[in-house]
Amino acid sequence: MVVKRAPSDKDARRQLAECEKIVRRIEFEKAIEFEDADNSVADSINLDDIVVEDSYDGPRIKPEGIDSEFVDGMIARFREEKKIHKKYAYQIVLAVRQYFLEQPSLVDVDIPANHTLTICGDVHGQFYDLLNIFELAGKPSATHHFLFNGDFVDRGSFSIEVILLLFAYKWLYPNGFFLTRGNHETKDMNRMYGFEGETKSKFSEMMYKLFCKTFDTLPLAHVVQKKLFVVHGGLFSRDDPGRSPSKRGVGLQFGPDVTEKFLKHNNLDMVIRSHEVKDNGYVIEHDGKCVTVFSAPNYCDQMGNKGAYINVTDAGEVSYHVFEAVPQSAL
């Protein structure tokens, strides 16, 4: 701005050039740092070398793998605002990462007869609201499936607890618990909105780098019962007719013509997306063909919004459920 206002100021132009060099250097160092970490961090972790001390009084993963007893014990420990042992945290993330590496970026979700799928939007580190969802909707089980549509971490104070619980359920029910990548499952957002700092504080930089690598493997969208397209943000990013700059200040918003054309072309009935706070937890738009669901009530402890989730039956029937926030602390 100084250079624009005083283009003949040589000192200002010199300092601008120095700033540009610093920015380029930081971006270069960041790029090579994570390129190296992504290539080696998962392979560098040897679980056999990590000793669980006798003094550790939390839940333990059995040699045969995770079970519901461990998950329930982990929830109880998180309620006490205690950590699980780093060995088990690594074990959960590595198991889920390996599973996602073998999956496509677009996942088909079929609901078997007499089963239910619950679709949730952003939870953003609000651990106690996540537990409340499981209280209200019912816990994940062999017949009750879940799909969390991105933005699991950042902003809230319990992102580690949220992501470890979601990953644990994914490991426990690999074919009945689904996770979509959101815009906050990225390094830049984690650095700015809290997950990086929280992970390094509660565990280590190595754990954070492993999460970064794992986030890179998450699927980008799901198709439920061959009729519902579930994606975190929305449809496409080209600035064509029917699209305009988003009111949020970043990205694009898309209109009913875009939704209708996409659904017709792909023989689908509805788009379900998240990404935006809604006063009542959800909003139905575009002639009933585009639904936004947001599952972090009283977002950032100040918005006063309600949360919502969507139940889908094996017959494809859709119902909406709204809930209030609960205190984000065990104290």
Side-chain angles (χ1 to χ4, degrees):
M1 292 300 296
V2 172
V3 170
K4 285 182 179 179
R5 291 172 180 264
S8 60
D9 188 325
K10 294 182 180 180
D11 187 55
R13 299 183 73 86
R14 181 184 59 78
Q15 293 190 44
L16 175 61
E18 288 299 317
C19 287
E20 290 172 343
K21 288 180 182 178
I22 293 171
V23 169
R24 286 196 297 269
R25 188 185 74 241
I26 291 172
E27 292 298 320
F28 175 73
E29 290 174 349
K30 183 169 65 174
I32 62 173
E33 169 197 352
F34 280 104
E35 181 180 1
D36 177 68
D38 285 353
N39 288 333
S40 63
V41 63
D43 295 334
S44 69
I45 299 170
N46 188 339
L47 294 174
D48 293 334
D49 290 342
I50 304 176
V51 176
V52 180
E53 302 81 4
D54 292 338
S55 59
Y56 173 70
D57 61 352
R60 296 171 181 255
I61 296 178
K62 299 172 183 176
E64 55 269 28
I66 200 168
D67 56 19
S68 58
E69 181 182 356
F70 174 84
V71 177
D72 290 343
M74 184 172 69
I75 292 173
R77 192 164 179 85
F78 287 165
R79 280 187 181 275
E80 297 173 354
E81 299 190 7
K82 297 179 179 178
K83 298 183 295 183
I84 60 170
H85 196 278
K86 64 180 180 180
K87 178 172 184 174
Y88 303 129
Y90 277 129
Q91 199 169 351
I92 291 168
V93 182
L94 287 169
V96 169
R97 175 179 174 272
Q98 185 58 43
Y99 182 86
F100 282 130
L101 280 172
E102 300 168 1
Q103 300 301 300
S105 59
L106 174 64
V107 176
D108 288 309
V109 177
D110 296 319
I111 307 173
N114 302 316
H115 289 215
T116 300
L117 173 72
T118 297
I119 301 174
C120 300
D122 307 35
V123 290
H124 275 300
Q126 297 183 199
F127 177 67
Y128 295 94
D129 286 317
L130 173 61
L131 296 185
N132 191 37
I133 291 172
F134 293 146
E135 288 286 332
L136 298 172
K139 291 171 63 176
S141 70
T143 59
H144 189 174
H145 304 175
F146 275 82
L147 193 168
F148 282 84
N149 195 31
D151 282 11
F152 323 120
V153 301
D154 283 336
R155 304 230 187 235
S157 300
F158 301 97
S159 292
I160 276 289
E161 289 78 4
V162 165
I163 194 62
L164 284 176
L165 180 55
L166 295 179
F167 277 6
Y169 272 128
K170 179 62 183 177
W171 187 10
L172 183 61
Y173 301 112
N175 299 314
F177 199 90
F178 305 93
L179 301 170
T180 309
R181 187 177 187 181
N183 62 300
H184 277 266
E185 281 67 61
T186 54
K187 303 179 187 79
D188 289 344
M189 299 296 276
N190 296 159
R191 180 172 286 135
M192 185 178 301
Y193 293 105
F195 182 63
E196 178 181 5
E198 181 184 339
T199 307
K200 290 180 178 179
S201 173
K202 293 179 178 179
F203 285 98
S204 64
E205 183 175 5
M206 178 69 78
M207 184 72 74
Y208 171 65
K209 289 180 178 180
L210 179 61
F211 272 117
C212 290
K213 179 61 177 174
T214 304
F215 288 160
D216 289 345
T217 68
L218 289 170
L220 302 180
H222 295 79
V223 174
V224 177
Q225 294 296 81
K226 298 179 173 60
K227 290 299 179 182
L228 309 177
F229 182 71
V230 185
V231 66
H232 178 71
L235 299 177
F236 312 107
S237 59
R238 298 189 303 271
D239 197 1
D240 294 337
R243 300 181 180 88
S244 62
S246 171
K247 291 175 288 187
R248 291 164 57 97
V250 293
L252 297 174
Q253 61 184 12
F254 56 97
D257 55 329
V258 175
T259 300
E260 183 176 0
K261 182 179 179 180
F262 173 81
L263 294 175
K264 183 176 180 180
H265 180 77
N266 292 284
N267 193 28
L268 298 166
D269 290 344
M270 182 187 292
V271 173
I272 297 177
R273 41 107 46 191
S274 302
H275 189 56
E276 290 183 80
V277 182
K278 298 299 178 184
D279 288 343
N280 202 44
Y282 76 99
V283 167
I284 303 174
E285 299 173 294
H286 298 186
D287 302 317
K289 296 179 180 179
C290 180
V291 176
T292 299
V293 59
F294 193 83
S295 303
N298 194 25
Y299 181 46
C300 297
D301 291 327
Q302 64 180 10
M303 297 298 291
N305 61 291
K306 296 178 182 178
Y309 57 85
I310 302 171
N311 280 343
V312 186
T313 67
D314 59 308
E317 298 172 345
V318 175
S319 59
Y320 304 93
H321 303 265
V322 176
F323 60 95
E324 300 280 354
V326 297
Q328 292 299 298
S329 174
L331 302 177

